Amino acid sequence: MEKLYLERQMHKMEYKEEKHSQAAVLGLQHLLAMYSGSILVPIMIAGALGYSAEQLTYLISTDIFMCGVATFLQLQLNKYFGIGLPVVLGVAFQSVAPLIMIGQSHGSGAMFGALIVSGIYVVLISDVFSKVADLFPSVVTGSVITTIGLTLIPVAIGNMGNNVEKPTAQSLILAAVTVLIILLINIFTKGFVKSISILIGLVIGTFIAGCMGLVDLTPVSQAPIVHIPTPFYFGAPKFEFSSIAMMCIIATVSMVESTGVYLALSDLTKDPIDSKRLRNGYRAEGLAVLLGGIFNTFPYTGFSQNVGLVKLSGIKTRLPIYYAAGFLVLLGLVPKFGALAQIIPNPVLGGAMLVMFGFVSIQGMQILARVDFEHNEYNFLIAAVSISAGVGLNGSSLFNSLPSSLQMFFSNGIVMASLIAIILNAVLNRKNK
């Protein structure tokens, strides 16, 4: 009898170990699927603001660390915060252009001060927002996400030419080869390999650049072995009104995007969510943004590409995501991994960015494809005007006669597209549910 009991216990332990090993592999898949997006954002912002190699290493490492912390917060299922679904949080792409604009106009302090306030803003409005999420239908979210991708594409083109006035043939060839690699992976592979095509393109493109003598390993050798995230690494936060207003709008856009991720995961896992769980999900997101401001990283939102992995793997529990969050935290504590991202040449980055931002644009268009344009002509107006204004006004000189704070606000395509889409929808579709 005792022997039978021991055999059963051993069988349970073996099953548990197998379950955890499977979850760890799936967690690694989730990390790889979102890794390229997470490192591109700090690289873009640091490049635009002229940060040093040491500062960029800090940004990337802390950003990866905070992605893990933010994901841990969102995995919780208690009465205060956490959506309790298998969701991975990563850097919000819609924050890139606004943060660059704030940093260039008012400095890093204003950038992180605005993030701190926007995080508090999300926590404060989470209860109200959970009850009015239907005020932000697909025509609004689709228009905004489409604009995000389209306004970031010029950044990719600049990197493809190595951000110089007369790009060399070498740069253009390297960028084109990177795009070709990503395209071939998407055409000839399926499943998980296809989902990390951007990351594979970056790795192979960098290897080819290394064979051409274009890769400098100095940042990796100079990076410390262990790193602890430091509050206010870039100095004391500065609270500038127009910067705060801009980031609060971006935070609202992120909440709309996250709502779509939460609802998609709820449908996949057959785990229904109510307004209370939505509120707790927004609260966790707000806490993550607040911590991002304190530790001088970026705002975080639910990563839609990881929803595809949940569907692909068929595993709908939170255990693999706990492993993914743990891996992110560990990677963030080892700066040499963060420094690896710095050796990627600009043309390779540009090629990967071109495809990635194209994916973002198409994702927005897919959302717009679900909009009822046939029976509601107002939706045409909302999408057409908001996208046109967002793309056209982004970085334009139309408002150069205004004060600098207003120039920064009105020349941001993502902010303008969001405002116009929300206002037009509220006015034109006020009679629709």
Side-chain angles (χ1 to χ4, degrees):
M1 194 76 177
E2 185 179 347
K3 183 179 179 182
L4 181 62
Y5 172 77
L6 289 172
E7 285 178 355
R8 284 178 177 173
Q9 291 300 109
M10 288 290 290
H11 179 72
K12 284 181 181 178
M13 287 175 65
E14 287 172 2
Y15 174 76
K16 193 173 181 181
E17 286 176 9
E18 183 180 350
K19 184 179 177 183
H20 276 273
S21 62
Q22 183 187 32
V25 172
L26 291 169
L28 184 61
Q29 285 190 167
H30 278 283
L31 181 149
L32 292 173
M34 56 86 69
Y35 189 78
S36 54
S38 294
I39 63 172
L40 282 178
V41 172
I43 289 171
M44 290 166 64
I45 292 176
L49 300 182
Y51 287 165
S52 67
E54 182 183 347
Q55 290 172 320
L56 178 53
T57 298
Y58 172 86
L59 269 186
I60 295 172
S61 299
T62 308
D63 175 49
I64 295 167
F65 178 88
M66 291 305 302
C67 283
V69 172
T71 301
F72 271 126
L73 288 172
Q74 199 60 281
L75 286 170
Q76 306 309 306
L77 188 57
N78 57 54
K79 62 181 180 179
Y80 298 112
F81 62 86
I83 194 71
L85 291 169
V87 57
V88 176
L89 268 70
V91 187
F93 269 111
Q94 54 265 38
S95 68
V96 174
L99 287 175
I100 289 173
M101 198 171 284
I102 293 169
Q104 289 175 339
S105 301
H106 301 286
S108 298
M111 193 167 68
F112 297 118
L115 282 180
I116 290 171
V117 177
S118 66
I120 296 170
Y121 159 81
V122 171
V123 173
L124 292 177
I125 71 160
S126 58
D127 190 44
V128 174
F129 198 87
S130 67
K131 295 179 174 65
V132 299
D134 58 349
L135 292 178
F136 303 95
S138 296
V139 68
V140 173
T141 56
S143 299
V144 172
I145 293 172
T146 301
T147 304
I148 290 167
L150 294 176
T151 54
L152 288 174
I153 287 172
V155 179
I157 299 298
N159 276 281
M160 289 174 74
N162 208 19
N163 295 311
V164 296
E165 194 172 329
K166 292 183 178 181
T168 63
Q170 195 177 44
S171 295
L172 299 179
I173 291 169
L174 198 53
V177 167
T178 303
V179 172
L180 180 62
I181 291 165
I182 296 170
L183 288 176
L184 290 173
I185 293 168
N186 276 275
I187 293 167
F188 294 107
T189 65
K190 294 181 180 179
F192 171 64
V193 174
K194 185 176 179 179
S195 74
I196 61 167
S197 59
I198 301 288
L199 184 65
I200 295 172
L202 287 170
V203 172
I204 297 176
T206 303
F207 175 77
I208 294 170
C211 296
M212 298 164 68
L214 299 175
V215 174
D216 181 11
L217 296 174
T218 305
V220 179
S221 62
Q222 290 182 346
I225 297 174
V226 180
H227 140 98
I228 303 297
T230 307
F232 309 118
Y233 176 86
F234 288 93
K238 178 183 173 184
F239 302 101
E240 195 273 325
F241 178 76
S242 62
S243 303
I244 291 169
M246 188 182 293
M247 291 316 299
C248 285
I249 292 170
I250 295 300
T252 305
V253 173
S254 295
M255 291 170 76
V256 173
E257 185 181 357
S258 291
T259 303
V261 172
Y262 302 154
L263 293 175
L265 285 170
S266 172
D267 183 59
L268 275 173
T269 59
K270 309 302 179 189
D271 182 6
I273 54 175
D274 54 16
S275 61
K276 184 179 177 182
R277 281 182 70 177
L278 275 177
R279 178 204 67 189
N280 291 350
Y282 300 141
R283 279 183 182 174
E285 197 167 305
L287 285 172
V289 177
L290 173 61
L291 290 172
I294 292 171
F295 288 94
N296 292 173
T297 57
F298 310 106
Y300 299 95
T301 189
F303 256 32
S304 56
Q305 55 261 54
N306 289 83
V307 176
L309 272 185
V310 172
K311 186 176 181 179
L312 175 70
S313 66
I315 306 296
K316 298 164 185 177
T317 67
R318 288 174 287 162
L319 185 59
I321 313 300
Y322 272 111
Y323 273 102
F327 292 148
L328 284 165
V329 168
L330 288 174
L331 281 179
L333 294 174
V334 184
K336 288 194 181 294
F337 282 101
L340 278 173
Q342 293 185 52
I343 69 173
I344 305 171
N346 282 334
V348 175
L349 274 176
M353 286 177 182
L354 183 73
V355 181
M356 176 168 278
F357 299 150
F359 283 165
V360 173
S361 301
I362 297 302
Q363 184 185 2
M365 293 174 192
Q366 286 179 324
I367 295 171
L368 287 174
R370 301 196 295 265
V371 175
D372 181 11
F373 290 114
E374 185 178 350
H375 300 100
N376 186 349
E377 62 182 13
Y378 291 144
N379 285 333
F380 268 117
L381 291 173
I382 295 166
V385 175
S386 59
I387 294 173
S388 298
V391 175
L393 295 176
N394 192 61
S396 74
S397 58
L398 191 62
F399 303 103
N400 282 359
S401 59
L402 297 177
S404 58
S405 57
L406 292 179
Q407 282 182 44
M408 181 179 71
F409 195 86
F410 287 113
S411 297
N412 187 290
I414 298 168
V415 170
M416 294 307 295
S418 305
L419 278 177
I420 292 169
I422 291 169
I423 293 169
L424 286 179
N425 178 69
V427 173
L428 299 177
N429 284 334
R430 65 186 182 279
K431 293 182 181 178
N432 296 330
K433 184 176 179 181

